[in-house]
Amino acid sequence: MIEFLPPRDHAFGEADAADFVGFDGADDTAFDDEPPRSRWLTVLAAVGVTGLLAGGVLAAAPWEADEAEDVAPPTTVDRELDLPADASATVDDPTTPDLATRTPGWLPRSPSRFELVRAVSNGRVVPGGEALFMWTSVNATRTSGRWVVVDQRGASAYRDLMRNATVIDVGGRPGLLSEFDDGVVELRVHPAAGDDYAVIAFGLGLDELLTVAAAVERTVGGIAVPDAWTQPDGAPVDGVSFVLDGQVDWAPGSIRSHPPDTWANFFDPATSESIIVARSGLTIDTILVDEYLLRVPIEVDSLDRPTRALLAEMSSQGRTVELFTSAYDAGIVGARWFDGTGLEVVAEGTLGAAELLRFASDLEPASADTWADAVALESAAAWVAPTTLGGAPDGSWGAGATDVWYFLEAGSSFTNRAWPPEPGRTVTTFRSFDDAFVLVTDAGGTAQAVLVTQPSRSQKTGLTPIDGSERSAAVVRIAADEPFEVTWLNGNGQPLADG
């Protein structure tokens, strides 16, 4: 089973902060179906939610055998409860859909280069998660206005290695600060006792971000924010209002914060590209997390004319589709629509928006018999074993890549992303509170090795060609508390000019 996992302007206002170094901050739909009234409409009106995007993204190393049956994608770990066939399912929270129907999922009408490798119907999905608080300005979006989220990262939370993060002090607590490609920032905090937590925001100055992070309180088994912040006239910073005190079982690097009731995996053995098609129910908590934390809308004007025409054609036929990328990995593209019963369907994968949309346009609700055959299918995708890019003999960390994606794992921390990297040579850091790594890539083939120099030591590492591509790469573990410098070397071990 495979699911894709897998942050300039307006990131910060003008602010200074002690102990802050090395970070370049800039100054600074509604449903297709009639939505339930009650608190849905109140909050949606307050925050101006305009796109209810969704998806689902990679989590386990896909070349490892997955023996468990009917296991939901990783965003739903430990949240599935199978009910007896004659059981009557009840839902106490009216915003939590009953997904015990086991109705068929969506499948293609016609053959394509993507082969079905697995289909799953979940039982009743039991929502869960850890504490999450949110404040927004009126009509804010992911990249407009001002908003801030405080999210608990407990012992069971997914711990991703943060890309290009800077170490920063947060009132005596260790912190890691990272900026997304669109200017959203995330500050991860590691208290001496209690759970980690993250502050994710847009439109805040650095001083405001640190003020929020330093004020988060530890509680028994969780976190809390000052009571005044949750009152109508209270807020952690100016210009925002309290909109959410919830529990969401979401994972950084995913593009779905809600568990699916059906999902299907498709795989192209020639290219190792994958697609997942999942159907899910939504709650107000997951809607807000999806829109603000996990997805970046693709502007229709950025698409080519045939793709825009296909979107219009699908809309005229009753299926309004929105396209997006993962906030954590622009190489993951998703398309989402509603199935007419209030449930959301998402197709997402490691291919471009145009091709993904063509695949999605051929999807339809499967018949009961066709879906039953798909669920019973015992197919194993011909996963390409990754090329090793680095690792420790004791197995404490390891890294690898195929021509489609790469991964890096150290202890309980993990990251993986879709290729390709930027053209030429790239240097990317990944950090947790315990480890730091440097990923170097060369798409031109001129560099044969790198020398990574730190005050305490120097490490020379050869670059490994990635099967099926023109690039080579390596991962080097570095001392987390020291600066580093990368020197590119040719086949004779001589330094290369920058470029």
Side-chain angles (χ1 to χ4, degrees), residues 360-492:
S361 68
D362 192 51
L363 293 169
E364 64 181 2
S367 67
D369 289 342
T370 301
W371 185 252
D373 290 341
V375 171
L377 179 68
E378 296 183 1
S379 175
W383 307 120
V384 177
T387 300
T388 299
L389 300 182
D394 62 0
S396 57
W397 74 274
T402 70
D403 61 336
V404 176
W405 55 269
Y406 66 86
F407 80 95
L408 172 58
E409 182 177 17
S412 61
S413 298
F414 183 86
T415 190
N416 66 329
R417 294 173 182 266
W419 293 110
E422 296 298 321
R425 302 172 198 152
T426 69
V427 177
T428 308
T429 61
F430 292 93
R431 291 182 182 272
S432 68
F433 289 109
D434 302 313
D435 291 295
F437 301 88
V438 177
L439 167 67
V440 294
T441 69
D442 178 22
T446 56
Q448 301 298 310
V450 292
L451 179 67
V452 180
T453 305
Q454 295 186 274
S456 62
R457 62 173 175 169
S458 295
Q459 303 178 72
K460 181 179 177 181
T461 303
L463 300 183
T464 302
I466 306 301
D467 292 341
S469 73
E470 296 180 352
R471 73 184 64 91
S472 58
V475 175
V476 180
R477 188 178 192 174
I478 61 173
D481 57 350
E482 297 181 10
F484 70 95
E485 180 178 310
V486 173
T487 302
W488 300 90
L489 306 175
N490 62 21
N492 296 321

Side-chain angles (χ1 to χ4, degrees), residues 132-459:
L132 186 143
F133 306 89
M134 184 175 186
W135 301 260
T136 76
S137 62
V138 176
N139 292 326
T141 69
R142 176 175 167 87
T143 55
S144 69
R146 285 160 62 85
W147 57 268
V148 58
V149 165
V150 176
D151 179 51
Q152 178 186 358
R153 302 287 171 84
S156 62
Y158 170 76
R159 284 176 167 78
D160 64 318
L161 288 158
M162 296 181 70
R163 184 185 66 164
N164 293 333
T166 298
V167 178
I168 187 170
D169 179 79
V170 184
R173 305 170 185 175
L176 292 173
L177 183 64
S178 182
E179 182 182 11
F180 292 74
D181 292 336
D182 58 3
V184 173
V185 293
E186 178 174 347
L187 174 57
R188 195 87 48 84
V189 184
H190 185 56
D195 289 339
D196 292 356
Y197 58 91
V199 179
I200 310 166
F202 182 85
L204 273 64
L206 177 59
D207 55 345
E208 294 174 308
L209 190 72
L210 292 173
T211 297
V212 173
V216 176
E217 305 164 358
R218 178 193 175 198
T219 65
V220 177
I223 60 170
V225 297
D227 289 340
W229 290 4
T230 64
Q231 302 306 308
D233 297 330
V237 295
D238 292 337
V240 299
S241 299
F242 186 59
V243 295
L244 180 62
D245 175 1
Q247 291 186 321
V248 185
D249 190 13
W250 74 288
S254 176
I255 52 173
R256 182 198 300 114
S257 63
H258 39 285
D261 71 324
T262 68
W263 55 276
N265 278 11
F266 300 87
F267 178 75
D268 179 0
T271 66
S272 296
E273 292 176 313
S274 299
I275 296 175
I276 295 173
V277 179
R279 184 182 61 203
S280 310
L282 301 178
T283 70
I284 185 60
D285 298 2
T286 61
I287 289 171
L288 294 175
V289 169
D290 289 345
E291 175 157 327
Y292 284 86
L293 303 185
L294 294 181
R295 303 187 198 99
V296 177
I298 295 176
E299 298 296 333
V300 174
D301 290 345
S302 70
L303 302 171
D304 59 32
R305 183 169 296 177
T307 304
R308 296 198 305 270
L310 181 55
L311 277 172
E313 179 183 355
M314 295 173 70
S315 179
S316 70
Q317 295 173 352
R319 195 194 315 180
T320 300
V321 177
E322 294 182 6
L323 297 170
F324 58 91
T325 63
S326 163
Y328 285 79
D329 185 352
I332 306 301
V333 178
R336 86 89 160 110
W337 60 93
F338 286 90
D339 71 350
T341 69
L343 298 180
E344 178 188 70
V345 184
V346 170
E348 57 93 2
T350 53
L351 60 164
E355 188 171 11
L356 180 69
L357 185 63
R358 287 195 294 271
F359 181 87
S361 68
D362 192 51
L363 293 169
E364 64 181 2
S367 67
D369 289 342
T370 301
W371 185 252
D373 290 341
V375 171
L377 179 68
E378 296 183 1
S379 175
W383 307 120
V384 177
T387 300
T388 299
L389 300 182
D394 62 0
S396 57
W397 74 274
T402 70
D403 61 336
V404 176
W405 55 269
Y406 66 86
F407 80 95
L408 172 58
E409 182 177 17
S412 61
S413 298
F414 183 86
T415 190
N416 66 329
R417 294 173 182 266
W419 293 110
E422 296 298 321
R425 302 172 198 152
T426 69
V427 177
T428 308
T429 61
F430 292 93
R431 291 182 182 272
S432 68
F433 289 109
D434 302 313
D435 291 295
F437 301 88
V438 177
L439 167 67
V440 294
T441 69
D442 178 22
T446 56
Q448 301 298 310
V450 292
L451 179 67
V452 180
T453 305
Q454 295 186 274
S456 62
R457 62 173 175 169
S458 295
Q459 303 178 72

